[in-house]
Amino acid sequence: MKGWYKYFIVAVLIGGTIYGINVKTTTIEEKRPNIIYVLADDLGYGDIAIYNPEGKIKTPNLDAMGSAGMIFTDAHTSSAVCTPTRYGIITGRYNWRSPLKSSVLTGNSKALIPKNRTTVASLLKKEGYETAFIGKWHLGWDWALKNPGLELGEGWNPEDFDNIDFSKEVKNSPNTLGFKYSYGHCGSLDMAPYVYVENGMPTMVPDTVTESKTKYGWWRKGPTARDFDFDDVTPNFFRKSFGYIKEKAKGKSPFFLYLALPSPHTPILPTEEWKGKSDLNPYGDFMMMIDAYMGQLTEVIRQAGIEDNTMVIFTSDNGCSPAAKIDEMLAKGHSPNGILRGHKADIFEGGHRVPFIVKWPNKIKPASKSDKTICTTDLLATCADIVGVDLADDEGEDSFSFLPLLTNPASKDYLREATVHHSINGSFAIRKDNWKMIFCPGSGGWSNPKPNSEGIGDLPKFQLYDLSKDPREENNVYGQFHEVESALTRLMVSYIENGTSKVGEKQKNDPEGYGSKEWKQLGVFYN
């Protein structure tokens, strides 16, 4: 009896050990979800019904995603325009620390992110993730040249592309930054050249030149490949993503998919079945089309059997653009940027406050909401937190993990102290708690009062708003709260001089390389 009992105990202990190993393995796997980051282009804070119940655009699928997960009401892009925001998403670093101090790149621009910088993709790839980029890159890559001794033009004119050899591999593509698979185009969809590049190789050599001057669907003149159908670009990227998800769902490794849509940015091209559906204008139709494809994305994930442990994030790279004909929609009762002042390119809230929806059934309770101020630079630190990696001081200098907020929307473990905003002309603002201080007299962008416009010199040089009382930024109280203004200015200067907004060793900002030859924006802090 005693001998039998001894063997029984040994068996139980061995079984328990095996069971413990299995539990531990399962726990590790649960901490490593599939991650899908969908970035819309020029989609406003008020364009999704769950954010703007008074809006006129029907978005049932994105609403359902928000109801099944968490919506962030105070999420911000790091810039009010495309390229800078995308830089921040990929690197976890404010774009103005890079050589790009203002404006955006073109389809001709050289690679902005160096190979040695940690990205979301390179970090996850090291941790065993399959990684993919599909969509609009807009961070530059290095086209092969017919004559290496000649520089390319800036990319705004048709002749700027004459020296590109489309039959050869591009250098410093997304593949060099940690993406095992990449497929997309270089700039915005209205920026030539109009060529798909897959894993560094153009899929076709362009054999024609196209241009569109229509009211909504315009694009600049430039070389165009036969397989590049403008109307089908957004559907094509979704189809590619569906195929990738289905394939990787069958594998043993988790995957990260960065799906960067070129829409609803110009050219505004809803497909035939969506034309006229919004009763607003083509932009509203385009929004409804995007929502429908997001519904298909959700269904693909569900049918692949990976829904519970897949984190899907949907957001935008900045606010709605005037190219969407905002006035037309306002006249019909729809405000693309909600109650917010300004729009794309501006330092005002309409330029950079965006919808931010996260669905992850294993982690997030349905119908969750967080009012914490987060930034799109936070993706890198969040992914590092998910896989249990500590970032070095020179990685993700402006990235803070919002993972704690997903289970506790008010968590004090989210460590962002303040958030820096940036406009197209390089103007700065800083937000801490309810206070937002803008270091320029106007919009810093495309709405009035515009930079260098008549009468701008008569305005106060800076702006201060208490967003808890004045979310529309209508009442500039600069000059009335000296302690607040002094503290925010010192904090802004420290973030610049330290090269980071995290606690840790000082880092270096990159010298100017794109845009302004001098970092003129800094003058406002030291005069």
Side-chain angles (χ1 to χ4, degrees), residues 165-352:
D165 187 343
F166 292 103
S167 68
K168 294 181 180 178
E169 183 179 11
V170 305
K171 302 297 182 183
N172 297 315
S173 72
N175 299 84
T176 65
L177 296 173
F179 291 100
K180 290 186 179 181
Y181 176 77
S182 69
Y183 175 89
H185 54 86
C186 193
S188 290
L189 193 53
D190 56 19
M191 295 178 177
Y194 307 113
V195 177
Y196 288 126
V197 173
E198 185 172 31
N199 292 328
M201 277 299 298
T203 58
M204 293 190 75
V205 175
D207 59 0
T208 188
V209 172
T210 65
E211 180 182 18
S212 176
K213 296 182 179 180
T214 60
K215 181 179 178 181
Y216 300 98
W218 68 274
W219 64 81
R220 295 171 180 85
K221 186 177 182 180
T224 308
R226 278 185 291 112
D227 65 347
F228 199 96
D229 179 354
F230 286 86
D231 291 48
D232 190 52
V233 172
T234 291
N236 181 32
F237 288 151
F238 270 109
R239 290 193 303 269
K240 286 280 186 181
S241 298
F242 298 162
Y244 182 84
I245 292 167
K246 291 174 183 177
E247 176 191 348
K248 297 306 174 184
K250 299 174 184 177
K252 295 181 179 179
S253 301
F255 66 85
F256 167 60
L257 169 62
Y258 170 45
L259 170 55
L261 304 178
S263 47
H265 188 291
T266 50
I268 299 169
L269 299 171
T271 54
E272 195 63 37
E273 65 178 304
W274 291 102
K275 290 179 180 178
K277 289 293 179 67
S278 70
D279 293 324
L280 288 173
N281 67 4
Y283 176 84
D285 302 339
F286 214 14
M287 274 297 311
M288 291 182 69
M289 186 184 98
I290 291 168
D291 178 77
Y293 272 107
M294 284 302 298
Q296 292 182 37
L297 180 77
T298 299
E299 183 61 17
V300 167
I301 293 167
R302 188 190 68 80
Q303 290 188 4
I306 58 172
E307 183 177 22
D308 286 346
N309 201 33
T310 296
M311 180 172 73
V312 183
I313 298 173
F314 182 90
T315 188
S316 177
D317 65 348
N318 45 248
C320 181
S321 169
K325 310 303 178 188
I326 294 174
D327 289 345
E328 288 182 357
M329 290 186 281
L330 287 173
K332 294 184 177 182
H334 178 75
S335 177
N337 294 309
I339 67 166
L340 306 177
R341 182 180 182 181
H343 47 59
K344 175 182 177 176
D346 294 345
I347 202 67
F348 298 128
E349 293 291 286
H352 49 78

Side-chain angles (χ1 to χ4, degrees), residues 31 123 380-391 401-404:
K31 290 181 180 178
L123 180 142
L380 178 60
T382 302
C383 289
D385 199 3
I386 287 171
V387 298
V389 172
D390 292 326
L391 294 176
S401 173
F402 58 72
L403 184 61

Side-chain angles (χ1 to χ4, degrees), residues 99-164:
L100 186 69
K101 309 302 184 186
S102 61
S103 194
V104 299
L105 302 187
T106 71
N108 225 19
S109 300
K110 293 183 178 180
L112 179 60
I113 304 175
K115 296 178 182 179
N116 61 350
R117 175 154 287 279
T118 297
T119 68
V120 177
S122 67
L123 180 142
L124 292 175
K125 183 180 178 181
K126 287 180 181 178
E127 290 298 309
Y129 271 69
E130 296 292 327
T131 55
F133 155 74
I134 296 173
K136 166 185 168 176
W137 184 236
H138 212 184
L139 287 166
W141 56 46
D142 301 335
W143 295 101
L145 303 180
K146 297 174 183 175
N147 185 345
L150 295 178
E151 287 291 320
L152 293 174
E154 292 184 358
W156 299 112
N157 302 306
E159 60 272 15
D160 291 342
F161 314 102
D162 292 345
N163 195 33
I164 296 179

Side-chain angles (χ1 to χ4, degrees), residues 52-107:
N52 182 14
E54 303 300 318
K56 303 300 182 183
I57 299 176
K58 296 179 178 66
T59 53
N61 295 292
L62 287 168
D63 295 346
M65 180 180 167
S67 296
M70 174 177 285
I71 66 169
F72 286 84
T73 64
D74 200 5
H76 296 260
T77 57
S78 56
S79 171
V81 282
C82 301
T83 299
T85 289
R86 291 158 199 271
Y87 176 90
I89 290 169
I90 296 296
T91 67
R93 185 180 188 233
Y94 287 136
N95 64 277
W96 43 268
R97 301 194 190 283
S98 81
L100 186 69
K101 309 302 184 186
S102 61
S103 194
V104 299
L105 302 187
T106 71

